[in-house]
Amino acid sequence: MTYTIIGRCARTGRLGIGIATFSITVGRYAHSVRSMVGVTISQAFPIENNNQTALRLLDQGFGAKATLEHLKTNDAFYTYRQIGIIDRTGASAAYTGPGVRGWCGEVAGENYVATGNGLVGQHVVEGIAKGFLAEPDADLEHRLLMGIEAGRDAGGQGTITDHKTERSAALQVYSRDPYPDIDLRVDLHEKAVDELRRIYIEYKQYEGYYRQRGEHPRDAPSQETFMATLQKAS
Amino acid sequence: MTFSIIARCPKTRRLGLGIATFSIAAGGRCEGIRHGVGICKTQAYINRGNDLLALQMLEQGLSPSAVMKSLEASDPDHEFRQIAIIDREGNACAHTGSGPRPWAGHQVGDGFVAFGNVLAGPHVIDGIVKRFVANPEDALEFRLLAALEGGRDAGGQVGKDGPLPERSAAICVVSEPDHPDIDVRVDLHPKAVRELRRILEEFKLYEVFYRERGKRPDLAMSQGEFVATLAKRQ
């Protein structure tokens, strides 16, 4: 049981993923993005090397649909996987095998895939897509988080009578650099999506400072000095 | 303000990194670790390009000290960095420039580097090393965790206005090309090292279940059933 949004920003080409699940430490299983190449997720019964295999295929130039076909050919238990892929052009492909449990499925379009399993119903992935698409001009990390929160608010995982909480969540966005622009995680928490929002808000205050002190260390104030300016501002 | 350890397990050749710091989401800035290649971690004032550049040079076969010379040559602010490098054979070197805030320093041992800045003093590094070498038969992830706890217990980070808590922490261990073995994170917590132990211990309960359900989904029990077997065991 998991719900996920993978997305590409049409304006900037940035690529990212937001994911929330009952399983713990989901970020370990969601090294899903390669800058300027693509984004992918294998979930439900994920085979651990699928994400990197998909990213290498995308890097070689295969499109999202061809990459999905390769994953199918390569996997004896393909029917147990749930997979989403977006390539560098924004084309998407998605698959939910018949072996995946609970309500499961996806909504996919240009530049996004909202996908999940063990969910209370179709309206969860529809909610995720709607949340993601609501503010197309906003930063990708904001849109991904809006998607995940919409999935939570639509009921998330489990069934109407047996809700399963999100115990872990992750948010990752890459731009042109080979390292992430933003990479935040909650590995074990009783309300992981709420906690991810808390960390996101806090991190966004520091993001520019952390970048600046690395690029211009000679002029950098100490973190304590920087935090004093935050307290004044709030 | 950070204390870290990078290490190679001589028995298994696994590579691992442990970090704890006052800054938030430090685990999102630790991409410099690759199976079969080595580890580079830059801290204090981070040049984000450094760690991946170092991995590329290690992959070409350059030694850690040769890599360090190249990093120095390509970075006008090298004096503001604190950098530790280890290769796939366990050869290691470190650099603490004059720029990082005191106390800052490192200790290079047989197959590991312990290093930090804005610390209570050199005894913090001693505390890290002492706990790391205490139980060489333990799994690398637990040796790294013990090392971070040793750094914390020796006084950890102290800025000009007094002690600073660990707000984020992470452990990553690799032995495969396509995914980490262990990848646990705490991004924002008042006692991040203690929380990291909670998460690592919990993850170790699920580690095999998560791996096996991907390899043989046709035989996998549901996570609900698995969680029930954990509850019985306790």
Side-chain angles (χ1 to χ4, degrees):
Chain A
M1 47 191 86
T2 301
Y3 55 91
T4 305
I5 173 85
I6 59 173
R8 174 180 175 274
C9 174
R11 268 186 306 117
T12 61
R14 295 169 88 221
L15 296 158
I17 182 170
I19 187 167
T21 181
F22 179 71
S23 295
I24 70 174
T25 64
V26 70
R28 179 205 177 280
Y29 300 89
H31 293 279
S32 292
V33 194
R34 192 174 293 181
S35 54
M36 313 307 283
V37 170
V39 53
T40 184
I41 187 67
S42 282
Q43 59 193 23
F45 299 89
I47 186 146
E48 288 187 302
N49 55 8
N50 241 26
N51 288 336
Q52 294 310 310
T53 304
L55 290 176
R56 281 192 289 263
L57 290 163
L58 291 166
D59 202 8
Q60 285 169 32
F62 289 106
K65 286 193 168 54
T67 298
L68 189 63
E69 281 302 311
H70 278 293
L71 294 182
K72 178 182 181 180
T73 311
N74 194 42
D75 185 355
F77 292 102
Y78 184 67
T79 56
Y80 288 88
R81 318 293 183 204
Q82 183 170 51
I83 300 171
I85 304 172
I86 300 171
D87 66 28
R88 69 191 89 189
T89 71
S92 68
Y95 170 73
T96 300
V100 178
R101 291 179 187 160
W103 187 91
C104 51
E106 66 274 322
V107 180
E110 194 180 352
N111 293 315
Y112 75 96
V113 179
T115 172
N117 62 85
L119 303 183
V120 296
Q122 167 84 23
H123 58 282
V124 177
V125 287
E126 285 169 354
I128 293 169
K130 201 172 160 191
F132 176 73
L133 294 169
E135 298 176 42
D137 293 327
D139 284 343
L140 186 61
E141 52 268 39
H142 171 79
R143 300 178 63 200
L144 295 167
L145 189 52
M146 293 287 281
I148 288 304
E149 288 176 334
R152 173 200 62 195
D153 296 343
Q157 308 163 101
T159 61
I160 302 285
T161 54
D162 182 20
H163 176 257
K164 289 275 192 255
T165 191
E166 301 84 10
R167 295 197 297 171
S168 71
L171 178 68
Q172 209 175 43
V173 173
Y174 280 69
S175 182
R176 287 184 178 76
D177 294 314
Y179 47 81
D181 272 10
I182 186 163
D183 179 349
L184 300 176
R185 281 174 48 176
V186 177
D187 278 5
L188 180 56
H189 195 275
E190 65 276 15
K191 289 190 172 179
V193 176
D194 300 28
E195 179 69 357
L196 187 64
R197 167 63 74 176
R198 184 180 78 91
I199 293 171
Y200 177 85
I201 290 171
E202 194 75 11
Y203 179 78
K204 276 291 179 184
Q205 296 190 298
Y206 287 80
E207 187 177 36
Y209 168 71
Y210 287 159
R211 186 180 305 127
Q212 284 294 318
R213 74 171 173 183
E215 290 175 1
H216 304 289
R218 283 160 213 278
D219 316 320
S222 73
Q223 189 159 193
E224 298 96 309
T225 306
F226 170 73
M227 286 172 71
T229 69
L230 285 183
Q231 278 154 11
K232 261 189 218 156
S234 63
Chain B
M1 46 189 78
T2 300
F3 53 95
S4 305
I5 179 163
I6 64 171
R8 172 183 177 272
C9 173
K11 266 190 301 144
T12 61
R13 300 180 186 177
R14 297 166 88 212
L15 297 167
L17 177 157
I19 184 168
T21 181
F22 181 69
S23 296
I24 64 180
R29 299 182 286 277
C30 293
E31 51 277 335
I33 175 167
R34 194 176 300 161
H35 162 71
V37 175
I39 308 170
C40 178
K41 176 60 193 155
T42 302
Q43 60 192 27
Y45 299 88
I46 299 178
N47 173 344
R48 276 306 285 278
N50 248 23
D51 296 347
L52 290 171
L53 175 60
L55 287 186
Q56 292 199 23
M57 291 189 278
L58 289 171
E59 197 162 29
Q60 286 169 30
L62 297 183
S63 69
S65 56
V67 170
M68 191 68 85
K69 285 197 186 85
S70 294
L71 293 180
E72 180 176 5
S74 76
D75 183 358
D77 292 318
H78 186 66
E79 274 308 305
F80 285 83
R81 320 293 181 199
Q82 183 170 52
I83 305 171
I85 305 174
I86 192 163
D87 70 12
R88 70 192 111 186
E89 291 165 357
N91 303 304
C93 73
H95 159 78
T96 301
S98 56
R101 294 162 57 202
W103 185 91
H106 59 258
Q107 194 172 317
V108 179
D110 185 14
F112 68 86
V113 182
F115 58 124
N117 61 84
V118 195
L119 302 182
H123 56 281
V124 177
I125 301 296
D126 294 338
I128 294 170
V129 172
K130 196 173 164 191
R131 296 269 190 96
F132 180 72
V133 300
N135 295 298
E137 299 303 315
D138 285 359
L140 184 58
E141 53 269 30
F142 284 111
R143 298 181 67 197
L144 296 168
L145 180 61
L148 294 180
E149 290 170 339
R152 175 199 62 194
D153 296 346
Q157 305 161 99
V158 178
K160 64 181 189 325
D161 303 324
L164 296 162
E166 301 85 26
R167 295 197 297 172
S168 75
I171 288 176
C172 183
V173 174
V174 297
S175 72
E176 305 261 356
D178 284 351
H179 56 81
D181 280 1
I182 303 291
D183 178 3
V184 288
R185 277 174 52 178
V186 177
D187 279 5
L188 181 56
H189 192 277
K191 293 190 172 178
V193 173
R194 197 170 74 181
E195 178 71 357
L196 191 66
R197 174 169 285 281
R198 184 178 80 92
I199 292 171
L200 179 61
E201 287 181 351
E202 193 77 10
F203 174 73
K204 292 300 279 186
L205 300 175
Y206 287 81
E207 183 180 24
V208 174
F209 169 69
Y210 286 160
R211 186 190 307 133
E212 291 302 317
R213 74 172 173 179
K215 283 185 183 165
R216 288 304 302 267
D218 53 328
L219 305 176
M221 65 173 88
S222 74
Q223 187 159 200
E225 290 164 336
F226 176 74
V227 170
T229 68
L230 286 183
K232 257 188 222 160
R233 226 186 288 170
Q234 279 160 359

